[in-house]
Amino acid sequence: AHVLLAMDLAARIGASPEAVFALLLHDLGKGLTPAADLPSHPGHEARGMPLVEAVCARLRAPGSFRELALAVCALHLRVHRLREMQAPGVMRLIEDADLLRRPERLQDLLEACEADYRGRLDREDRPYPQATRLRAALQAAQAVQARDLDVAGLSGEQIGARLREARIAAIARVAVTAGSAGPAG
């Protein structure tokens, strides 16, 4: 029932084919949940990764579809909990989703996550403020460039660490000014 509701919602929001494909595969790991853990599905993201890989290989899915399906499988619960995260956790999510290198992936990731989150009878009309926060956080992180920092005499590794720290600080400023901290909805 959840998958059907999520697919209906994906159609209503005009989700891309890549997002719809990722949405179809994101919960495959739930099928491997040990009976003792039911009705909960702890760790289904990690259990689902090899299954998503296998389906993508079997279907010969294009690389963009495969990459997004894996990202959504691995990260959808973290995206849902975005409003609970502090700036370092948001930065890790951005890094794990490879959004600094591949910012074009953001919209598809958010479409799949929103459809998953709202694809339930009690949530279909709820807003998804996580999308706004992740967009703002990515934009803040992208605005910080190494050339804008005092990095004279630092090694490449030190420059990377300084850049990451500055990006985390920028994300924290956005979160405070946007008032996006608070409980997840």
Side-chain angles (χ1 to χ4, degrees):
H2 164 59
V3 172
L4 292 174
L5 290 169
M7 295 304 289
D8 284 344
L9 190 66
R12 284 197 343 229
I13 66 173
S16 71
E18 289 91 340
V20 170
F21 183 76
L23 183 60
L24 281 170
L25 302 182
H26 81 284
D27 276 342
L28 288 179
K30 286 184 175 181
L32 299 178
T33 300
D37 289 338
L38 294 173
S40 188
H41 299 279
H44 76 278
E45 313 91 311
R47 280 193 301 275
M49 296 295 284
L51 299 174
V52 171
E53 282 276 13
V55 169
C56 289
R58 174 88 170 102
L59 297 177
R60 296 183 181 160
S64 62
F65 282 71
R66 177 188 161 279
E67 290 169 14
L68 184 67
L70 289 167
V72 172
C73 179
L75 304 173
H76 68 281
L77 293 182
R78 287 172 54 196
V79 175
H80 297 335
R81 291 190 298 265
L82 188 66
R83 295 178 2 173
E84 301 167 8
M85 288 183 195
Q86 299 297 317
V90 175
M91 185 67 200
R92 270 190 307 281
L93 175 61
I94 288 170
E95 292 165 339
D96 292 346
D98 201 19
L99 295 175
L100 289 169
R101 264 186 356 102
R102 309 272 314 276
E104 69 280 1
R105 179 182 289 171
L106 178 64
Q107 184 62 31
D108 292 335
L109 174 71
L110 290 174
E111 287 171 355
C113 290
E114 179 178 356
D116 172 52
Y117 180 82
R118 292 178 52 208
R120 290 165 169 57
L121 290 176
D122 62 336
R123 292 187 188 164
E124 58 193 358
D125 294 321
R126 282 191 182 177
Y128 194 66
Q130 296 88 329
T132 301
R133 182 164 190 219
L134 188 53
R135 281 188 190 97
L138 178 59
Q139 189 173 38
Q142 288 173 316
V144 178
Q145 300 294 318
R147 67 178 172 267
D148 301 327
L149 303 175
D150 180 18
V151 294
L154 297 180
S155 69
E157 188 173 309
Q158 292 168 323
I159 293 170
R162 174 91 40 98
L163 180 60
R164 188 172 192 281
E165 289 170 17
R167 287 177 169 163
I168 290 170
I171 290 168
R173 285 191 299 275
V174 168
V176 169
T177 60
S180 56

PDB file of all heavy atoms in Angstrom, residues 169-182:
ATOM      1  N   ALA A 169      30.049  25.718   8.946  1.00  0.00           N
ATOM      2  CA  ALA A 169      29.650  26.988   9.568  1.00  0.00           C
ATOM      3  C   ALA A 169      28.596  27.705   8.717  1.00  0.00           C
ATOM      4  O   ALA A 169      27.641  28.274   9.248  1.00  0.00           O
ATOM      5  CB  ALA A 169      30.879  27.877   9.770  1.00  0.00           C
ATOM      6  N   ALA A 170      28.760  27.671   7.413  1.00  0.00           N
ATOM      7  CA  ALA A 170      27.776  28.308   6.520  1.00  0.00           C
ATOM      8  C   ALA A 170      26.425  27.603   6.624  1.00  0.00           C
ATOM      9  O   ALA A 170      25.372  28.257   6.642  1.00  0.00           O
ATOM     10  CB  ALA A 170      28.288  28.289   5.083  1.00  0.00           C
ATOM     11  N   ILE A 171      26.432  26.285   6.699  1.00  0.00           N
ATOM     12  CA  ILE A 171      25.191  25.527   6.850  1.00  0.00           C
ATOM     13  C   ILE A 171      24.530  25.870   8.185  1.00  0.00           C
ATOM     14  O   ILE A 171      23.313  26.057   8.259  1.00  0.00           O
ATOM     15  CB  ILE A 171      25.458  24.007   6.734  1.00  0.00           C
ATOM     16  CG1 ILE A 171      25.834  23.656   5.293  1.00  0.00           C
ATOM     17  CG2 ILE A 171      24.252  23.196   7.198  1.00  0.00           C
ATOM     18  CD1 ILE A 171      26.399  22.252   5.126  1.00  0.00           C
ATOM     19  N   ALA A 172      25.326  25.995   9.244  1.00  0.00           N
ATOM     20  CA  ALA A 172      24.789  26.339  10.564  1.00  0.00           C
ATOM     21  C   ALA A 172      24.136  27.719  10.532  1.00  0.00           C
ATOM     22  O   ALA A 172      23.060  27.913  11.119  1.00  0.00           O
ATOM     23  CB  ALA A 172      25.888  26.281  11.611  1.00  0.00           C
ATOM     24  N   ARG A 173      24.740  28.672   9.848  1.00  0.00           N
ATOM     25  CA  ARG A 173      24.156  30.020   9.745  1.00  0.00           C
ATOM     26  C   ARG A 173      22.816  29.981   9.019  1.00  0.00           C
ATOM     27  O   ARG A 173      21.868  30.643   9.417  1.00  0.00           O
ATOM     28  CB  ARG A 173      25.118  30.977   9.047  1.00  0.00           C
ATOM     29  CG  ARG A 173      26.274  31.410   9.919  1.00  0.00           C
ATOM     30  CD  ARG A 173      27.062  32.543   9.301  1.00  0.00           C
ATOM     31  NE  ARG A 173      27.664  32.194   8.013  1.00  0.00           N
ATOM     32  CZ  ARG A 173      28.838  31.587   7.867  1.00  0.00           C
ATOM     33  NH1 ARG A 173      29.541  31.261   8.919  1.00  0.00           N
ATOM     34  NH2 ARG A 173      29.304  31.312   6.661  1.00  0.00           N
ATOM     35  N   VAL A 174      22.738  29.207   7.964  1.00  0.00           N
ATOM     36  CA  VAL A 174      21.481  29.086   7.202  1.00  0.00           C
ATOM     37  C   VAL A 174      20.399  28.460   8.076  1.00  0.00           C
ATOM     38  O   VAL A 174      19.258  28.912   8.089  1.00  0.00           O
ATOM     39  CB  VAL A 174      21.677  28.261   5.908  1.00  0.00           C
ATOM     40  CG1 VAL A 174      20.355  27.889   5.293  1.00  0.00           C
ATOM     41  CG2 VAL A 174      22.512  29.035   4.920  1.00  0.00           C
ATOM     42  N   ALA A 175      20.761  27.424   8.830  1.00  0.00           N
ATOM     43  CA  ALA A 175      19.792  26.731   9.671  1.00  0.00           C
ATOM     44  C   ALA A 175      19.244  27.674  10.739  1.00  0.00           C
ATOM     45  O   ALA A 175      18.057  27.676  11.029  1.00  0.00           O
ATOM     46  CB  ALA A 175      20.424  25.507  10.321  1.00  0.00           C
ATOM     47  N   VAL A 176      20.111  28.525  11.312  1.00  0.00           N
ATOM     48  CA  VAL A 176      19.683  29.455  12.348  1.00  0.00           C
ATOM     49  C   VAL A 176      18.803  30.547  11.762  1.00  0.00           C
ATOM     50  O   VAL A 176      17.736  30.849  12.292  1.00  0.00           O
ATOM     51  CB  VAL A 176      20.910  30.066  13.085  1.00  0.00           C
ATOM     52  CG1 VAL A 176      20.502  31.217  13.968  1.00  0.00           C
ATOM     53  CG2 VAL A 176      21.606  28.986  13.882  1.00  0.00           C
ATOM     54  N   THR A 177      19.209  31.120  10.642  1.00  0.00           N
ATOM     55  CA  THR A 177      18.423  32.204  10.055  1.00  0.00           C
ATOM     56  C   THR A 177      17.109  31.721   9.476  1.00  0.00           C
ATOM     57  O   THR A 177      16.119  32.438   9.476  1.00  0.00           O
ATOM     58  CB  THR A 177      19.210  32.957   8.969  1.00  0.00           C
ATOM     59  OG1 THR A 177      19.571  32.039   7.938  1.00  0.00           O
ATOM     60  CG2 THR A 177      20.446  33.621   9.528  1.00  0.00           C
ATOM     61  N   ALA A 178      17.075  30.475   9.021  1.00  0.00           N
ATOM     62  CA  ALA A 178      15.840  29.943   8.455  1.00  0.00           C
ATOM     63  C   ALA A 178      14.923  29.374   9.530  1.00  0.00           C
ATOM     64  O   ALA A 178      13.777  29.051   9.252  1.00  0.00           O
ATOM     65  CB  ALA A 178      16.167  28.840   7.425  1.00  0.00           C
ATOM     66  N   GLY A 179      15.445  29.235  10.742  1.00  0.00           N
ATOM     67  CA  GLY A 179      14.635  28.660  11.805  1.00  0.00           C
ATOM     68  C   GLY A 179      14.230  27.234  11.513  1.00  0.00           C
ATOM     69  O   GLY A 179      13.155  26.802  11.877  1.00  0.00           O
ATOM     70  N   SER A 180      15.110  26.499  10.825  1.00  0.00           N
ATOM     71  CA  SER A 180      14.724  25.166  10.373  1.00  0.00           C
ATOM     72  C   SER A 180      15.028  24.072  11.388  1.00  0.00           C
ATOM     73  O   SER A 180      14.802  22.912  11.126  1.00  0.00           O
ATOM     74  CB  SER A 180      15.408  24.843   9.039  1.00  0.00           C
ATOM     75  OG  SER A 180      16.788  24.965   9.151  1.00  0.00           O
ATOM     76  N   ALA A 181      15.539  24.449  12.548  1.00  0.00           N
ATOM     77  CA  ALA A 181      15.734  23.426  13.561  1.00  0.00           C
ATOM     78  C   ALA A 181      14.394  23.090  14.178  1.00  0.00           C
ATOM     79  O   ALA A 181      13.464  23.859  14.141  1.00  0.00           O
ATOM     80  CB  ALA A 181      16.699  23.949  14.635  1.00  0.00           C
ATOM     81  N   GLY A 182      14.302  21.933  14.743  1.00  0.00           N
ATOM     82  CA  GLY A 182      13.042  21.538  15.375  1.00  0.00           C
ATOM     83  C   GLY A 182      12.716  20.105  15.055  1.00  0.00           C
ATOM     84  O   GLY A 182      13.427  19.438  14.331  1.00  0.00           O
TER      85      GLY A 182
END
